[in-house]
Amino acid sequence: MHDHLIHLGFSERVALANASAELARHRTTLREQAALLRQSGRNSEQRTGVIADLRALKEVDTSALAVILHLDREVRAQFKQPMRIQGAPANLLSLARLSSLADVLCWEDAATH
């Protein structure tokens, strides 16, 4: 159970053309939420969950996987736990399997094997 949940809603398309902007948007959200937790006197590592909501994501390439990996690394460093990924489209899961990354990330509601 998490006391605080950070929700990262992804765009409909994450590909080379917009991957940097998508990453920057989510990194800003993570920084702002961590700052709010510090201001409230709570440790950002305590019972804070981060969910990447990919339900809107329809068009992806390997850039989308790179954005997710980068965000997961930041979440693990900041909050000491993996980012939970929900609603991943089949094509992204296929890329993760082909890249041997399916077991590295925390996929929810998806068959990764």
Side-chain angles (χ1 to χ4, degrees), residues 49-68:
V50 179
I51 294 177
D53 182 353
L54 308 183
R55 289 178 293 182
L57 189 58
K58 305 291 183 235
E59 186 179 337
V60 300
D61 65 13
T62 54
S63 301
L65 194 54
V67 167
I68 291 167

Side-chain angles (χ1 to χ4, degrees), residues 13 27-28 32-33 45-46 49 66 69 72 75 77 90 93 111-112:
R13 178 178 188 267
R27 290 179 78 199
T28 297
E32 289 172 350
Q33 290 296 312
E45 296 172 16
Q46 291 180 318
L69 283 167
D72 183 64
V75 167
L93 291 169
T112 56

Side-chain angles (χ1 to χ4, degrees), residues 17-110:
N18 72 326
S20 292
E22 189 80 14
L23 178 60
R25 183 169 65 89
H26 295 306
R27 290 179 78 199
T28 297
T29 299
L30 290 173
R31 279 193 307 271
E32 289 172 350
Q33 290 296 312
L36 286 172
L37 287 170
R38 282 190 304 276
Q39 288 173 0
S40 70
R42 292 192 294 177
N43 184 337
S44 63
E45 296 172 16
Q46 291 180 318
R47 300 168 59 121
T48 298
V50 179
I51 294 177
D53 182 353
L54 308 183
R55 289 178 293 182
L57 189 58
K58 305 291 183 235
E59 186 179 337
V60 300
D61 65 13
T62 54
S63 301
L65 194 54
V67 167
I68 291 167
L69 283 167
H70 188 89
L71 290 170
D72 183 64
R73 185 177 65 226
E74 287 194 24
V75 167
R76 287 174 191 262
Q78 179 72 37
F79 302 103
K80 307 300 184 224
Q81 60 184 307
M83 177 174 70
R84 297 175 6 227
I85 303 166
Q86 296 180 345
N91 52 353
L92 181 64
L93 291 169
S94 293
L95 286 173
R97 281 192 292 275
L98 287 170
S99 306
S100 300
L101 295 170
D103 293 332
V104 174
L105 297 166
C106 183
W107 308 95
E108 294 186 354
D109 67 20

